[in-house]
Amino acid sequence: MTSETVVLHTALDAIAAGFEVSVLLDACGGLSPRTEQAAFHQIETAGGRITSVASFATDLVRDFTTPTGREVIAALHGLAQQPAAEPAR
């Protein structure tokens, strides 16, 4: 229920306080896909951005030829090698 409670209310409070909010959906977990999607929809409607870890990381690092860029790509490849988490039921 993290997405439906902690993430949702923290994101909405941050947006109301004037912060730009990006929620990394693959770093969250919810009670069910339906309730989690409802929480993400509320965040988007309020002005937040729903994205993924990979998209967020590549937004921060645009040049993958630098040492930092190579580290980011290596870390993302490492994440891709791990088995996916079981979806909420």
Side-chain angles (χ1 to χ4, degrees):
M1 68 178 200
T2 302
S3 297
E4 297 89 343
T5 55
V6 176
V7 174
L8 172 63
H9 296 291
T10 302
L12 294 177
D13 289 348
I15 292 166
F19 290 94
E20 289 184 20
V21 171
S22 293
V23 175
L24 312 180
L25 66 92
D26 48 346
C28 297
L31 291 173
S32 73
R34 190 171 83 178
T35 59
E36 190 172 45
Q37 286 303 316
F40 293 154
H41 179 71
Q42 283 184 269
I43 294 167
E44 283 183 313
T45 300
R49 178 174 170 233
I50 307 301
T51 189
S52 68
V53 170
S55 293
F56 185 75
T58 57
D59 281 347
L60 295 175
V61 179
R62 295 289 189 167
D63 184 355
F64 301 106
T65 63
T66 66
T68 300
R70 287 191 294 272
E71 286 182 38
V72 168
I73 289 297
L76 292 174
H77 282 287
L79 288 174
Q81 300 299 320
Q82 295 179 7
E86 183 82 18
R89 295 184 195 266

